[in-house]
């Protein structure tokens, strides 16, 4: 009952407009935690079984699909240089492409071959859909594709590209920009596009490498919590975790310790459970847990534990009853971790290498590997309990979406809708 109460509380935080209950309107779902609000998802599929529709995509991309108001949205790019970046809209029931909106930049930006120029996930409410295209700006459209507003936020230059996604909360759009020479968290009025606040994150280094010459950068998407009577956005930066008041951008607290001797990096989003924030740094960085509700620098007072070296963490985990089920990119394992203590309860190699985040529906967890094989298992803290595995052709780094009893999976060349 406590878990269900928390989910309903988070649903109330995310928007002043009620969301369609079964939609998946942002990265990692309606509550930014990987959990579907209600209903079930398919458990059996293949290339030839339980595929309701398949839509070809113009490019690969790490950006995940979202579902809102009968539409499925996903990012793509139209040319090998990445100068033309698009938001695509498909009909949720039929897979027909309804519209595409493309923006262009006048220069080719660097990225890594594993992170093509479509790495972000859109965010939507009942009236609008917002997408960030890195150096090509942030853009808001209505569900018919009409431009509502746009902003050029500057150049984001990093050898590995960009990847953090916008979120929508209480008629605001929040975005963690970067990585690059300048990083900030910014809030816009969703209706008008007016900038409400902006807080720059201090950095030491070039944005690509820190002062010791090691890699640096954060690609982590914010999550939301209630603490000390405020709704706050928790952002994992390259060296520290910061809690921002969403109304004015005030920093409520911060905790150091994300960086390590191999670099200052963060890829996955934090996971919140019972007023504890769990996160894992990038490039085999540390896992750590922070008690929420502090003020100022809480490193000495609220850091519950920190384990220095971890598997490579790119996808985010799901927490059930105090245990995080975390996907790992290298080595390719699933792990069950006690949030309060950091104890690893079990690990299993059933899934292979994963960049996608774990998701959950009807008390079943879904973990999708780069080989487009999805492992379904039960949230059992005592042992890995496999339910089934399902294979699609191709490759994927994107996180599936669950909406209205269907599963939406992006592979390198297609968007799949799975149903019963």
């Amino acid at each position: 009952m406590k878990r269900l109460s928390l989910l309903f509380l988070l649903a109330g935080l995310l928007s002043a407009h009620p969301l369609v209950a079964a939609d998946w309107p942002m990265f990692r779902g309606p509550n930014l935690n990987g959990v579907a609000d209600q209903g079930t998802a398919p458990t059996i599929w293949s290339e030839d079984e339980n595929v309701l529709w398949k839509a070809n995509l113009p490019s690969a991309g790490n950006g995940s699909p979202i579902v809102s108001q009968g539409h499925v949205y996903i990012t793509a790019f139209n040319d090998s240089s990445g100068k033309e970046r698009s938001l695509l809209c498909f009909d949720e029931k039929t897979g027909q492409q309804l519209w595409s909106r493309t923006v262009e930049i006048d220069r080719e930006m660097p990225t890594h071959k594993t992170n093509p120029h479509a790495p972000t996930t859109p965010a939507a409410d009942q009236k609008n859909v917002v997408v960030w295209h890195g150096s090509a700006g942030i853009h808001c459209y209505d569900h018919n594709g009409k431009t509502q507003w746009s902003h050029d936020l500057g150049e984001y230059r990093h050898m590995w590209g960009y990847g953090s996604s916008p979120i929508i909360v209480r008629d605001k759009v929040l975005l963690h920009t970067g990585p690059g020479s300048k990083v900030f968290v910014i809030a816009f009025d969703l209706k008008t596009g007016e900038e409400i606040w902006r807080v720059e994150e201090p950095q030491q280094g070039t944005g690509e490498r820190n002062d010791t010459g090691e890699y640096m950068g954060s690609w982590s998407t914010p999550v939301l919590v209630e603490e000390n009577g405020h709704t706050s956005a928790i952002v994992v930066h390259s060296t520290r975790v910061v809690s921002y008041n969403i109304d004015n951008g005030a920093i409520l607290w911060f905790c150091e310790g994300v960086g390590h001797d191999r670099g200052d990096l963060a890829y996955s989003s934090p996971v919140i459970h019972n007023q504890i924030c769990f996160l894992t740094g990038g490039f085999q960085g540390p896992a750590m847990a922070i008690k929420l509700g502090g003020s100022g620098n809480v490193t000495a007072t609220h850091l519950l534990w920190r384990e220095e070296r971890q598997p490579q963490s790119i996808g985010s985990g799901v927490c059930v009853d105090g245990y995080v089920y975390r996907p790992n990119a290298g080595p390719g394992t699933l792990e069950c971790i006690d949030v309060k203590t950091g104890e690893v309860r079990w690990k299993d190699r059933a899934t292979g290498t994963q960049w996608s985040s774990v998701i959950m529906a009807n008390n079943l967890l879904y973990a999708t590997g780069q080989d487009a094989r999805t492992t379904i298992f039960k949230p059992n803290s005592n042992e890995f309990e496999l339910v089934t595995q399902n294979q699609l052709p191709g490759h994927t780094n994107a996180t599936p979406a669950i909406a209205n009893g269907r599963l939406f999976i992006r592979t390198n060349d297609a968007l799949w809708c799975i149903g019963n």
Side-chain angles (χ1 to χ4, degrees), residues 88-312:
L88 310 182
C89 175
F90 296 90
D91 185 278
E92 180 188 348
K93 292 183 178 180
T94 67
Q96 177 187 0
Q97 184 171 322
L98 302 177
W99 51 263
S100 172
R101 296 294 177 265
T102 300
V103 295
E104 299 183 28
I105 56 174
D106 60 3
R107 57 204 178 279
E108 185 173 353
M109 298 299 297
T111 194
H112 194 271
K113 64 181 180 180
T114 59
N115 186 28
H117 294 284
T120 62
T121 300
D125 74 347
Q126 287 189 316
K127 296 181 179 179
N128 305 283
V129 56
V130 180
V131 61
W132 187 48
H133 289 303
S135 300
I138 186 170
H139 307 272
C140 179
Y141 307 94
D142 68 16
H143 286 288
N144 294 317
K146 181 180 179 181
T147 300
Q148 303 301 293
W149 50 265
S150 296
H151 286 289
D152 180 354
L153 299 180
E155 182 178 88
Y156 292 90
R157 181 174 293 273
H158 195 285
M159 67 185 107
W160 298 341
Y162 63 104
S164 180
S165 300
I167 64 173
I168 293 175
V169 52
R170 292 183 184 167
D171 296 325
K172 294 183 180 68
V173 178
L174 269 60
L175 177 67
H176 167 212
T177 69
S181 59
K182 179 178 287 190
V183 172
F184 51 87
V185 179
I186 189 169
F188 300 97
D189 183 291
L190 176 59
K191 183 177 180 179
T192 67
E194 178 185 0
E195 181 177 324
I196 301 172
W197 55 262
R198 177 190 306 218
V199 179
E200 187 171 337
E201 173 67 4
Q203 294 190 132
Q204 293 183 343
T206 65
E208 287 190 343
R209 294 187 181 268
N210 62 23
D211 283 349
T212 65
E214 304 296 337
Y215 298 125
M216 66 178 294
S218 174
W219 292 256
S220 181
T221 295
V223 300
L224 298 170
V225 299
E226 278 285 303
E227 53 178 342
N228 293 338
H230 301 283
T231 302
S232 61
I234 308 294
V235 179
V236 184
H237 291 290
S238 59
T239 62
R240 64 178 187 165
V241 187
V242 180
S243 174
Y244 299 88
N245 184 321
I246 67 163
D247 293 324
N248 55 25
I251 293 178
L252 302 177
W253 57 261
F254 67 91
C255 183
E256 298 166 342
V258 178
H260 51 94
D261 59 3
R262 297 170 303 284
D264 299 332
L265 297 155
Y267 308 133
S268 56
S269 291
V271 175
I272 309 297
H273 170 73
N274 196 24
Q275 293 295 292
I276 296 175
C277 173
F278 168 90
L279 65 126
T280 309
F283 210 57
Q284 298 182 316
M288 50 196 285
I290 307 159
K291 184 179 179 181
L292 302 181
S295 178
N297 187 344
V298 301
T299 310
T301 58
H302 286 61
L303 180 61
L304 299 177
W305 56 265
R306 181 180 183 274
E307 295 292 338
E308 173 64 25
R309 192 170 186 125
Q310 297 290 303
Q312 175 72 299

Side-chain angles (χ1 to χ4, degrees), residues 56-78:
N56 293 329
L57 297 176
S59 70
N62 296 348
S64 303
I66 65 165
V67 183
S68 179
Q69 303 296 302
H71 296 164
V72 184
Y73 295 101
I74 201 163
T75 55
F77 60 96
N78 302 331

